[in-house]
Amino acid sequence: MHDLRHCVLPGFTHWQHPYFFGFFPSMVSPPALLGDLMANAFNQPGFNWVCSPVASEMEVLVMEWLREAFDLPQNFSWRHGGGGGVIQPSATEAMIVAMLAARNRVLEKEKLLERTDKSPAIYGDAAGAGTSGSRVDLQRLVVYYSDQSHFCVEKAARVLGINHLRKVASTVEPVTGNLPMCSAELRNHLERDRAHGLIPFFLSANFGATGTGAVDRLDEVAEICSQNSVWFNVDAAYAGVVALCPELRPMLR
C-alpha cells in the first residue's frame, strides 16, 4: 500500500474525482462498484454463448433495455429486428467494430470479396497492388471525421489498414460556440477522392465530442452520406445519453 500511495497514485489522472471534467465526468457510483466487484469475482469469459450462456443472454437483455430506453427503431432490436447491439469494452473497440462492418459492406457491394488466382488479397496486400485481375485493396478506401473527433476514429482506421483519412475542418457557431463539421468541405473531400479513384466508405460524426462537446449537424451529414453511399456513424458517447429524455430526442433524429 505504501508503494501504491507514493509511487503509483502521484502519476494518476484522477478521472473519478468529483471535479474532473476533462473528458467525461466521474462515473463512480455504489451500483457500479458492486457490479464490478461481482463481475470480477465470477470472472465469466463471455466471448461466446457456450462459454457462459448467462453472460450472452444478459448482454442481449441489457442491450434491449437500452434500445427501449433510447427509443431506437425496431431494426436495432434483438427480439424484433435483424439483430441488436453488443457491449464493447472501449470506444476504440466499438469504433473498430463499426468500421469493420462498413468495410465489409463496401467490399461486398463492389464484389471485392471474390478472389481469383490472379487477384491479390483485398486486405491491404501492398505486394499485390496493381496485379492483373485486382479490383481494389484497402489503399483505396477513405475514412472521414471531424477535427473535433475522438482519436479512436483514426486509431481504428490504422488497425484495419485504412491509410486514407480525411480530417474535416469544423466551423464556429458564434451564438452557441458549437463546432460542427463543415458540410461544404466534406462534399469537396468526397468529390475529390472519387475523382482520384478512391472509395469513400465511412464517416464518423459527433454528438458531443469529448474535447469540446461539439455536435455536428447530423441531418446534413446524414444526407451527404446517403447521397454518396457512405456508412454514417455517430459517436454519441459523451452526449447521447440525452436521448433518455423524450423531449431531447429530436436532436438525434
Side-chain angles (χ1 to χ4, degrees):
M1 292 303 295
H2 178 275
D3 286 348
L4 176 65
R5 183 179 298 275
H6 292 89
C7 300
V8 179
L9 290 182
F12 270 17
T13 298
H14 292 280
W15 283 64
Q16 305 310 328
H17 193 283
Y19 294 145
F20 179 79
F21 296 100
F23 295 97
F24 299 100
S26 173
M27 294 170 283
V28 168
S29 67
L33 292 171
L34 179 59
D36 199 41
L37 178 65
M38 294 175 65
N40 282 289
F42 289 123
N43 192 26
Q44 292 289 290
F47 46 83
N48 62 24
W49 190 91
V50 173
C51 290
S52 182
V54 71
S56 296
E57 297 294 341
M58 286 182 64
E59 181 178 32
V60 169
L61 180 61
V62 170
M63 294 309 297
E64 192 66 19
W65 288 345
L66 289 173
R67 186 199 68 80
E68 294 172 356
F70 286 102
D71 194 31
L72 294 174
Q74 289 285 354
N75 56 330
F76 283 85
S77 171
W78 282 108
R79 296 172 180 170
H80 311 293
V86 292
I87 300 172
Q88 299 296 332
S90 71
T92 296
E93 289 171 89
M95 190 64 68
I96 288 174
V97 170
M99 199 175 293
L100 181 62
R103 188 188 74 172
N104 288 348
R105 186 183 74 167
V106 72
L107 294 178
E108 291 172 358
K109 179 181 177 181
E110 301 293 332
K111 298 183 179 179
L112 303 176
L113 291 177
E114 297 178 4
R115 297 179 56 186
T116 66
D117 292 337
K118 295 182 179 180
S119 63
I122 59 175
Y123 297 105
D125 184 358
T131 303
S132 175
S134 168
R135 300 187 65 179
V136 78
D137 60 30
L138 296 188
Q139 307 308 314
R140 292 178 59 197
L141 301 182
V142 189
V143 168
Y144 304 84
Y145 62 112
S146 166
D147 60 6
Q148 303 300 313
S149 295
H150 190 278
F151 180 66
C152 66
V153 181
E154 182 176 345
K155 187 158 55 170
R158 299 304 186 194
V159 169
L160 295 176
I162 310 298
N163 292 324
H164 292 293
L165 294 94
R166 304 288 182 257
K167 185 179 290 188
V168 183
S170 56
T171 58
V172 181
E173 294 180 344
V175 176
T176 64
N178 187 29
L179 295 165
M181 181 188 303
C182 178
S183 298
E185 180 171 328
L186 173 60
R187 291 184 186 275
N188 289 336
H189 278 305
L190 289 163
E191 293 172 3
R192 185 162 51 247
D193 287 337
R194 288 196 184 280
H196 284 84
L198 301 177
I199 302 176
F201 85 104
F202 184 89
L203 180 142
S204 184
N206 295 308
F207 190 79
T210 55
T212 59
V215 175
D216 289 321
R217 302 183 185 97
L218 299 184
D219 51 350
E220 291 183 17
V221 179
E223 180 63 25
I224 294 172
C225 289
S226 177
Q227 293 170 355
N228 289 274
S229 300
V230 172
W231 183 291
F232 179 46
N233 179 76
V234 178
D235 184 349
Y238 188 89
V241 69
V242 301
L244 289 172
C245 304
E247 66 273 18
L248 297 178
R249 287 173 187 158
M251 299 172 65
L252 275 163
R253 296 290 169 83

